[in-house]
Amino acid sequence: MSTPAHAPAPGSTPSRAASAPGHVYRGHVFHIAGSPVVADAREHLVSVPDGALVTAPDGTIAWAGPFAELPAGFRDLPVTDNRGGFILPGFVDTHLHYPQTYSTDAYGGGQLLEWLDNCVFPAETRLQDPEFAARIARDFTRRRVAAGTTSALVFGSAFPHAQDALFAESQAAGLRLVSGRGVQTVGSGPAGALLTGETEALDLISAEIDRWHAVDTGDPATALLQVAVVPRFSLSVTPTTLAGLGELYDDARERGVYFHSHLNENNRPGTGEIDAVKAVYGVDTYLDTYDGLFLPGSQRGGSSLLGRRSILAHAVHCEDAELSRLAESGTSVAHCPTSQQFLGSGTMPWLRTTSFGVNVAIGSDIGAGDEWLISRVLNDCFKVHLSEPGDAGLSLDPAALLFTGTLAGARALDMEARFGNFDVGKDADFLLIEPDRWEPLATVLNRGIRADDERMATDQTLFALLLALRQPAITGVFVRGRRVQAPE
């Protein structure tokens, strides 16, 4: 495997990341311990008001617990005193679009398909220019650092030089990144510059895998940089493309490569995404097109793209058979409540989806989503599900929200053994939060009503922290124990 000219050699320390000696971080520690499902997250919530997180020289978590019980072997380590503040696992964003960094709050689009033609395809075409691509890669990476997004599954650009810029910036900053170039072999007029031929599309995917997948460590179980196969959606490719992708993924799956796309986002009758997919392919369900069943009548035409490293965004309007198949295959859903409101797509039914055993992580969906900060997306998540009609509505508890923005994302990326909480031995991916840096957050935390019951008071504190948090209060972002540095 060759090393890209842009990047440090495999296994080297990213140039903008500080070293990672053993260290103690003191503050209010919150995380979801162990490996629960979302319904059990509250039973696994750990809250240590005067806590300590100890990082080892190799960037893993050596210990976490009450500061007063710090083991003797760690008492001589340097201490970062964040009392009055919080220590959270790094946020995991399982769906956002790098070429749409400047496209948030774009007016004049309408619902999904019109928005793509009017706002998105013209914006993504601008990345043809290498200088523009370099700039947007820097800005995208800066926004991730500011928002405390330590790990992200990123829908990439159609242009290889733009993808190179993204991977290089992410590696230099020390962030986790899974990304793949956006694949389109058919499309409307505004998408013209983003299209490639069938064979070229497969060749470009293979080249990106060889160039960037696990380039930093050589092992997908430990790498910060990884590659995904990313067709935009079924309407952007043909049965021939899907057959080729399935064949390619049969080999790439063994190398830990991911699969990522969109599913059941817009159900406008007759002219929306879902009806268009069914009409073009003649299939029973949208999911069939990704499951190798893309020939008329949902006959098999190739290999399935579903699995443990497959993540599908939205899943707003799934049929029962689709939810059952997602759970059976281990495919996760990237839930994007902020963008679903912006595009009028509806709300993914939380109880129905999770009742099938589907792992639901969170996605900002930049740029239909306009919130980079995952806790802001969780804020929207709480509100939309409280507003679901009838028995479908629920008030998500704060532990479930924290789980969805951290551990569920690590699980979706098949990296739960490496990050997502503060279990000893995992990589030390975490955030330092100082409420005094954002006065509205500080006042809510310091002056809000708290119950006499300790457990309810803990829930109230975590809820206020998540829903009132803003970027200025995030004062430290760490991956593998190293402080991440944003590009200048």
Side-chain angles (χ1 to χ4, degrees):
M1 177 173 54
S2 61
T3 301
H6 295 78
S12 66
T13 300
S15 61
R16 287 198 294 265
S19 60
H23 201 97
V24 177
Y25 297 88
R26 187 176 185 180
H28 190 153
V29 174
F30 273 121
H31 74 113
I32 306 298
S35 185
V37 296
V38 66
D40 298 330
R42 191 166 186 248
E43 302 304 319
H44 289 253
L45 175 64
V46 173
S47 172
V48 188
D50 186 12
L53 179 70
V54 182
T55 61
D58 65 355
T60 60
I61 295 167
W63 189 82
F67 186 83
E69 299 176 15
L70 191 67
F74 302 133
R75 291 174 188 166
D76 292 333
L77 292 176
V79 177
T80 294
D81 191 340
N82 197 47
R83 279 178 291 179
F86 297 86
I87 304 171
L88 296 181
F91 291 133
V92 183
D93 190 339
T94 57
H95 183 63
L96 70 167
H97 293 255
Y98 148 60
Q100 297 172 29
T101 297
Y102 306 145
S103 299
T104 56
D105 301 309
Y107 177 71
Q111 290 194 352
L112 175 63
L113 299 183
E114 294 76 27
W115 177 77
L116 289 171
D117 278 346
N118 296 335
C119 300
V120 168
F121 294 149
E124 294 195 1
T125 297
R126 300 174 72 193
L127 277 75
Q128 288 182 105
D129 177 1
E131 290 187 7
F132 185 88
R135 178 176 179 177
I136 200 171
R138 287 193 299 273
D139 287 345
F140 177 85
T141 304
R142 286 174 59 83
R143 283 159 177 69
R144 278 194 60 193
V145 175
T149 304
T150 53
S151 182
L153 174 55
V154 178
F155 201 107
S157 170
F159 306 108
H161 62 262
Q163 285 297 99
D164 287 345
L166 173 64
F167 275 104
E169 289 289 353
S170 299
Q171 186 169 36
L175 291 168
R176 296 183 187 273
L177 173 71
V178 179
S179 185
R181 66 173 299 273
V183 178
Q184 294 181 251
T185 56
V186 292
S188 59
L194 308 175
L195 306 184
T196 66
E198 313 271 1
T199 301
E200 183 184 6
L202 300 177
D203 289 344
L204 288 172
I205 295 169
S206 295
E208 185 171 38
I209 293 170
D210 291 340
R211 185 167 177 77
W212 285 111
H213 188 61
V215 68
D216 54 318
T217 68
D219 181 358
T222 60
L224 298 184
L225 303 177
Q226 305 205 50
V227 173
V229 175
V230 186
R232 183 178 293 277
F233 58 168
S234 295
L235 293 176
S236 71
V237 293
T238 68
T240 301
T241 311
L242 286 171
L245 292 176
E247 185 175 345
L248 183 155
Y249 197 57
D250 280 343
D251 294 329
R253 189 192 297 269
E254 300 304 314
R255 298 171 61 181
V257 172
Y258 293 82
F259 173 76
H260 185 46
S261 194
H262 300 87
L263 175 71
N264 286 328
E265 183 175 1
N266 178 281
N267 72 338
R268 185 174 60 199
T271 58
E273 172 207 22
I274 297 171
D275 281 355
V277 168
K278 291 181 177 180
V280 168
Y281 285 92
V283 292
D284 297 330
T285 71
Y286 194 150
L287 186 65
D288 285 345
T289 61
Y290 299 133
D291 205 11
L293 307 173
F294 50 77
L295 296 181
S298 290
Q299 296 298 303
R300 181 159 300 280
S303 296
S304 177
L305 296 163
L306 307 183
R308 287 176 59 87
R309 287 200 164 196
S310 300
I311 302 93
L312 293 170
H314 303 297
V316 178
H317 306 286
C318 288
E319 300 178 25
D320 285 356
E322 292 174 298
L323 293 174
S324 178
R325 179 60 180 144
L326 289 172
E328 176 188 44
S329 64
T331 301
S332 291
V333 165
H335 178 31
C336 306
T338 305
S339 71
Q340 286 157 18
Q341 293 178 91
F342 180 77
L343 292 176
S345 301
T347 298
M348 184 208 77
W350 182 275
L351 288 174
R352 180 166 164 264
T353 302
T354 57
S355 72
F356 277 85
V358 178
N359 179 54
V360 175
I362 205 76
S364 66
D365 197 16
I366 298 295
D370 60 356
E371 297 284 2
W372 290 84
L373 182 59
I374 283 298
S375 60
R376 297 296 299 152
V377 184
L378 295 171
N379 186 312
D380 286 337
C381 183
F382 175 82
K383 293 170 183 174
V384 299
H385 295 299
L386 189 63
S387 302
E388 285 193 69
D391 293 339
L394 78 161
S395 175
L396 287 166
D397 65 75
L401 295 173
L402 180 62
F403 171 86
T404 304
T406 57
L407 192 58
R411 184 173 299 167
L413 295 175
D414 194 30
M415 294 290 281
E416 187 177 358
R418 303 305 309 168
F419 62 89
N421 61 16
F422 296 147
D423 289 355
V424 171
K426 289 191 178 184
D427 290 346
D429 292 12
F430 64 97
L431 309 178
L432 298 181
I433 296 171
E434 297 182 31
D436 287 343
R437 297 294 187 94
W438 181 250
E439 184 180 354
L441 173 63
T443 55
V444 166
L445 289 169
N446 294 332
R447 300 174 187 171
I449 294 173
R450 296 292 178 266
D452 293 332
D453 177 78
E454 182 179 355
R455 187 177 189 188
M456 176 57 74
T458 296
D459 286 348
Q460 290 169 330
T461 298
L462 178 57
F463 188 77
L465 173 63
L466 290 175
L467 268 64
L469 180 64
R470 300 293 189 277
Q471 280 95 328
I474 300 174
T475 57
V477 180
F478 296 79
V479 172
R480 283 191 186 152
R482 300 183 178 95
R483 183 181 288 270
V484 172
Q485 300 293 333
E488 297 179 357

